[in-house]
Every structure is written in structure tokens, then in C-alpha cells.
Amino acid sequence: MKPEDVRALSDDQLQDELLKLKKEHFNLRFQAATGQLENTARFGHIRKDIARLKTDIRRRALQAQGS
């Protein structure tokens, strides 16, 4: 997910996407624990996407507070 894509989402869509990524991260952890995980690089992608979403949510909150 690119930063431009994140900025284009509405607040509700950001929250939905964040929830979806957290669930996927949770499932990946279980797959890793049981030895079923094939693409270990997906962990990094998910974590970075979660960070991007949280950063944009925080940026929007600070913008709303400032104006």
C-alpha cells in the first residue's frame, strides 16, 4: 500500500483497513507458529502498512485538533 493510497482513503476506510491488516498479522503469526507460513516477507509488509495507516490517522487527528 502506497502513501498516496492511504491519503486517498476516508477515516472510516482507514479504520477498516487497519482492522483487516491487524487480523491478517494475527493469522500470519499463527501460521508461523504452526510451520505453515510460506511467505515470511509478508510480515514486514503488513507491519509497514499498519504503521502507514496509524501515522495517517494520527496526522489527521492532529490536523483536526489544530484547525
Side-chain angles (χ1 to χ4, degrees):
M1 180 174 283
K2 295 182 181 181
E4 299 87 34
D5 298 337
V6 173
R7 283 187 222 111
L9 297 175
S10 70
D11 292 343
D12 291 336
Q13 289 173 325
L14 281 175
Q15 293 295 335
D16 291 342
E17 189 68 25
L18 181 62
L19 182 62
K20 185 183 89 167
L21 287 172
K22 284 185 175 185
K23 285 181 182 180
E24 186 174 352
H25 188 257
F26 181 78
N27 289 332
L28 285 175
R29 286 194 336 235
F30 270 100
Q31 287 178 8
T34 59
Q36 298 173 351
L37 184 63
E38 294 177 10
N39 185 6
T40 57
R42 186 75 180 133
F43 269 120
H45 295 294
I46 295 289
R47 284 186 18 232
K48 287 179 183 179
D49 284 345
I50 289 172
R52 279 188 193 99
L53 291 173
K54 284 185 171 183
T55 299
D56 201 63
I57 290 169
R58 178 69 177 150
R59 181 187 59 81
R60 290 180 187 196
L62 289 175
Q63 252 180 355
Q65 187 182 32
S67 48

